[in-house]
């Protein structure tokens, strides 16, 4: 692997450890707590469609049933995020207030005030090879996705998604974020087509760290009062400074469980 590729991969690995492996793990104990700055901005603008204001959120037990589990996504490993992986919205700061909620969600923190939440780490399985070099390439060329489910009362899911859409539009030209002490610059947010659930939206997020650029994906699926947030990174694409496809197998599997 070329030295520049190694350097880019190191940068990408840092981001993955922040955005995909250090996540805000939902639980009954902290589900109702205010995550500070993210809560207000996430619900700043209600969705036009609007949900039933009296609709009840899924319970923690119900949310677990619609969360991804091992075997739900072919050729992928699914595992629960652990308390050691946690990152809170207060640990993510930005240089533009309008970009606050987008940065939080990109890093895996909860949006708004969900009544309950769950989190899974989903990684594609590399193709096996007897050639050590090819095996290393295969290990690199997998997409890792952090999937966060959040259950809201009333219009909470609509409002959280509306707030995220607004932030993506207002911050499309970029902003700087710091998560767990590591500074990264988002240089571009571009919406990409995606299907799933009652409402879906996805973005390619171009990130720059140490002078190298790479792509991340942020996908949102809303089904009733539940919002699924998926953040993805492909290390091979990051090492080459290129883009990668949406994790459609993960998106389809999550949408199917929410239906």
């Amino acid at each position: 692997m070329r030295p520049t590729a190694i350097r880019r991969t190191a940068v990408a690995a840092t981001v993955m450890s922040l955005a995909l492996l250090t996540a805000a793990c939902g639980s009954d104990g902290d589900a109702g707590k205010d995550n500070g700055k993210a809560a207000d901005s996430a619900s700043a603008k209600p969705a036009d469609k609007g949900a039933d204001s009296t609709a009840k959120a899924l319970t923690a037990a119900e949310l677990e049933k619609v969360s991804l589990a091992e075997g739900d996504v072919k050729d992928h490993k699914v595992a629960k995020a652990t308390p050691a992986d946690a990152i809170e919205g207060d640990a993510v700061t930005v240089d533009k207030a309008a970009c606050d909620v987008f940065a939080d969600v990109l890093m895996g923190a909860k949006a708004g005030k969900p009544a309950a939440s769950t989190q899974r780490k989903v990684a594609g399985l590399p193709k096996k090879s007897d050639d050590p070099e090819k095996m290393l390439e295969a290990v690199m060329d997998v997409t890792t996705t952090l999937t966060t489910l959040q259950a809201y009362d009333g219009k909470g899911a609509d409002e959280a998604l509306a707030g995220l859409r607004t932030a993506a539009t207002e911050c499309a030209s970029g902003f700087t974020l710091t998560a767990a002490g590591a500074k990264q610059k988002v240089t571009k947010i571009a919406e990409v087509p995606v299907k799933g659930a009652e409402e879906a939206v996805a973005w390619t997020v171009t990130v720059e760290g140490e002078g190298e650029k790479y792509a991340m994906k942020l996908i949102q699926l809303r089904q009733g009062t539940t919002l699924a947030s998926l953040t993805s990174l492909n290390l091979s694409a990051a090492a080459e400074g290129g883009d990668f496809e949406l994790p459609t197998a993960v998106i389809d599997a999550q949408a199917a469980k929410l239906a």
Side-chain angles (χ1 to χ4, degrees), residues 51-60 62-63 114-116 150-158 223-227:
D52 182 355
S53 60
T54 63
K56 295 296 183 182
L58 295 183
T59 65
E62 291 171 332
L63 201 62
Q150 300 160 103
Y152 300 83
D153 286 320
K155 298 182 179 182
D158 299 72
Q223 184 72 33
T225 59
T226 302
L227 185 63

Side-chain angles (χ1 to χ4, degrees), residues 17-27 30 80-92 104 107-110 117 119 121 146 148 179-180:
S17 69
L18 290 171
L20 303 184
L21 301 183
T22 57
C25 302
S27 65
D30 65 3
K80 286 186 177 182
T82 67
D85 297 321
I87 185 170
E88 295 295 335
D90 287 343
V92 183
D104 285 350
M107 291 293 103
K110 296 186 286 292
S117 64
Q119 207 155 52
K121 293 178 287 188
L146 176 70
T148 306

Side-chain angles (χ1 to χ4, degrees), residues 182-253:
K183 182 176 289 187
Q184 303 289 334
K185 185 176 181 180
V186 172
T187 60
K188 184 179 180 180
I189 301 172
E191 188 169 341
V192 293
V194 65
K195 293 181 180 180
E198 292 178 356
E199 190 176 2
V201 63
W203 298 275
T204 295
V205 184
T206 304
V207 184
E208 181 178 340
E210 296 186 6
E212 305 294 345
K213 292 184 179 181
Y214 45 90
M216 297 177 70
K217 304 291 184 182
L218 180 59
I219 305 104
Q220 301 290 303
L221 306 173
R222 185 189 63 79
Q223 184 72 33
T225 59
T226 302
L227 185 63
S229 177
L230 296 79
T231 300
S232 298
L233 175 70
N234 181 287
L235 281 179
S236 180
E240 297 300 323
D243 199 0
F244 63 99
E245 298 295 323
L246 286 173
T248 53
V250 182
I251 294 170
D252 291 347

Side-chain angles (χ1 to χ4, degrees), residues 148-183:
T148 306
L149 293 193
Q150 300 160 103
Y152 300 83
D153 286 320
K155 298 182 179 182
D158 299 72
E159 292 170 348
L161 184 52
L164 194 61
R165 284 181 183 272
T166 298
T169 299
E170 294 182 358
C171 302
S173 60
F175 62 94
T176 298
L177 68 87
T178 301
K183 182 176 289 187

